[in-house]
Amino acid sequence: MTATDRTPSDRADVCIVGAGPAGGIVAHSLAERGHEVVVLEAGPRVPLEERLERMERHQRPAHDWTDVWDMGGDRDAYSSTGDVDYPLNRTRIKGVGGTTLHWIGYTPRLHPKDFEMESRYGLATDWPISYGDLRPYYAEAESEMGVAGSEDNPFAPPREASFPMEAFPPSHSDSILGEACEELDIDVHSVPQARNSEGYDGRSACVGYGTCTPVCPSGAKYDGSVHVRKAEEAGARVVDRAQVQRLEHGPDGERVEAAVYATPDGTEHRQEARQFVIACGAIETPRLLLLSQSETYPDGLANSSGAVGRYLMDHLLYLVTGQLPEPTGQHQVGFTTSVTHQFYDHEEETPGSFFVGFLNYAGPSPVEAALGDGGWGDDVTTAVGRSYGGHIGTEALVEQLPDPNSRVTLDDSQTDDHGNPVPDVHWTVGDYARATAEKAIQVQRDILSEAGARVDYATPDHSPLSGSHPMGTTRMGEDPAESVVDPRLRTHDLANLSIASSSVFPTGGAMNPTLTIAALSLKAAEHVDAAL
């Protein structure tokens, strides 16, 4: 087998850090325009043929979630010091394709109000761009990723064309919860998702493994490796297992000159380029900038505002599940097919935005329970027949506001496998999000109660789960004193450094962020192309 060449390219127009969906989309867009593109990715390549084995890891009790994608150890070390523990290695994946290798696949657009929080409610800040500005990029992102959806959502923002694919049909549990919502005057509709309901873009229709998180073995669910492959076909070079240690700027501090990266044997290389794009998520992006401190930027690269790492947001996730008196025969589908956005837009400032989705949930695994009790063979079969399929459940994603004290910093007491300080994630939730959560949990309980279910679990309102959607740590804005990047996604401080990531979100709304990341990545690529 030929050894992988991880030495720098002699010539590069653009160097991109990160090969997730943002990095892949930017790389593909720029390579198609004829530019010489190099992508540096900290993690390995994950061939599609390996994913079935990774799914099997997930299904075996001996393995936990992080084992599926080999997360952990010195490379992925971090600290969590906020009010709520932040399970970073369950929310991210380092590898070609990035965190979309295990995402759920939902692709809603943010609403116009999410761009106008200060103007509408006197809260947080406005984005320097509007929904209208991002609208054509949203449409392009839906086409590029392949989104299945329906125009049945009366609360959705305006759009310009139908979805690329038809929505998935409602599930059996959707009908049970939908009837309850009808009695409660709650409108129910489909949820757009980057999962093929038919063959699309050379990938098959969903074949129903039901293991969308943490792994889709068929490739029917979109992930960032799709655009990485397209970028390589267009001439881009993608170097895996090449951890970028720092960015180095020129003597005047106005331009980045090189990305310094380390290969698996510890050798450091410098990749020079005319333009640089950081696309490694809302935790590693600020960490890289902070690690790139210099005499010119003693507080971290591109950090003259002091905003690098600050304003960390996530979506609070609340689950409420229950059991019906009669078995339903519901089997795990693996993704949500029906939701309600009825509680998203609001006139008053509180409670904030949230949405409720119906889980295609069959209950706790009876196989794992039986094995844990020492059962085997017929014991497991009996347990499955007795208890599988009588449960229903809901999930809610809840909005939180940006807070400068919620942030990513460097923890000098721990180092990674190359001796760099690890990220310290200090996630602060805030009273606004907690008040909104109370409303969301009550709506979830009302739905299950109306459906005749006995609630058997509810996420405590004071101890939310992470939606696995970190955002906001290199925020976008017009004022260089208050933000890190401008509306063109270029850093205020360095003329050839752009950021494509959820880290640029000034506010986070309560919608899954990946489609917005993709739309912003297309926008960033357009601006980088113009600069070249």
Side-chain angles (χ1 to χ4, degrees), residues 180-485:
C181 285
E182 187 173 357
E183 292 297 318
L184 295 170
D185 292 324
I186 297 174
D187 281 305
V188 174
H189 47 84
S190 62
V191 56
Q193 46 199 286
R195 178 179 290 100
N196 291 353
S197 58
E198 59 192 66
Y200 188 88
D201 197 26
R203 295 178 287 122
S204 75
C206 175
V207 296
Y209 277 101
T211 59
C212 311
T213 55
V215 56
C216 170
S218 72
K221 183 184 70 174
Y222 172 87
D223 68 69
S225 68
V226 169
H227 275 94
V228 171
R229 288 193 295 272
K230 290 183 177 183
E232 290 181 302
E233 290 167 2
R237 181 181 177 219
V238 178
V239 185
D240 74 327
R241 300 175 70 192
Q243 295 188 60
V244 176
Q245 309 295 298
R246 61 191 178 278
L247 300 177
E248 294 182 345
H249 60 73
D252 59 6
E254 295 181 0
R255 298 180 68 85
V256 174
E257 286 190 340
V260 178
Y261 65 96
T263 55
D265 65 3
T267 303
E268 285 196 354
H269 299 282
R270 295 177 81 255
Q271 178 61 62
E272 298 180 353
R274 296 165 60 197
Q275 293 281 330
F276 291 81
V277 180
I278 307 178
C280 49
I283 306 298
E284 292 295 336
T285 292
R287 181 192 179 213
L288 176 57
L289 293 173
L290 294 171
L291 287 173
S292 302
Q293 63 187 24
S294 65
E295 288 186 11
T296 305
Y297 296 101
D299 298 320
L301 194 65
N303 195 25
S304 62
S305 64
V308 168
R310 292 189 182 271
Y311 305 104
L312 171 66
M313 299 171 286
D314 203 319
H315 295 134
L316 284 63
L317 172 64
Y318 291 91
L319 306 177
V320 179
T321 65
Q323 190 161 11
L324 294 165
E326 300 295 329
T328 65
Q330 168 72 24
H331 290 281
Q332 183 81 21
V333 174
F335 54 90
T336 293
T337 41
S338 296
V339 300
T340 177
H341 290 175
Q342 183 165 317
F343 305 95
Y344 197 87
D345 291 321
H346 47 95
E347 294 299 323
E348 301 300 322
E349 65 178 53
T350 55
S353 295
F354 67 91
F355 79 84
V356 175
F358 302 160
L359 299 173
N360 287 312
Y361 171 67
S365 168
V367 176
E368 189 168 340
L371 291 174
D373 290 339
W376 195 251
D378 290 343
D379 294 335
V380 176
T381 304
T382 302
V384 171
R386 183 175 60 246
S387 63
Y388 202 61
H391 292 74
I392 54 176
T394 60
E395 61 180 345
L397 275 192
V398 172
E399 173 184 46
Q400 75 166 131
L401 297 179
D403 179 341
N405 296 312
S406 186
R407 62 188 300 197
V408 176
T409 57
L410 299 179
D411 180 358
D412 294 318
S413 70
Q414 294 189 69
T415 56
D416 66 10
D417 54 343
H418 291 282
N420 296 312
V422 305
D424 177 37
V425 183
H426 186 90
W427 184 32
T428 298
V429 171
D431 293 340
Y432 177 87
R434 294 188 191 280
T436 304
E438 290 179 9
K439 173 66 174 176
I441 293 168
Q442 188 57 57
V443 169
Q444 291 172 275
R445 285 183 172 276
D446 289 346
I447 293 171
L448 263 65
S449 177
E450 185 64 37
R454 174 181 57 82
V455 172
D456 56 16
Y457 172 78
T459 305
D461 58 2
H462 63 276
S463 185
L465 303 171
S466 158
S468 302
H469 304 151
M471 303 168 284
T473 51
T474 61
R475 57 177 9 198
M476 185 195 328
E478 296 278 9
D479 186 353
E482 300 288 338
S483 56
V484 179
V485 300

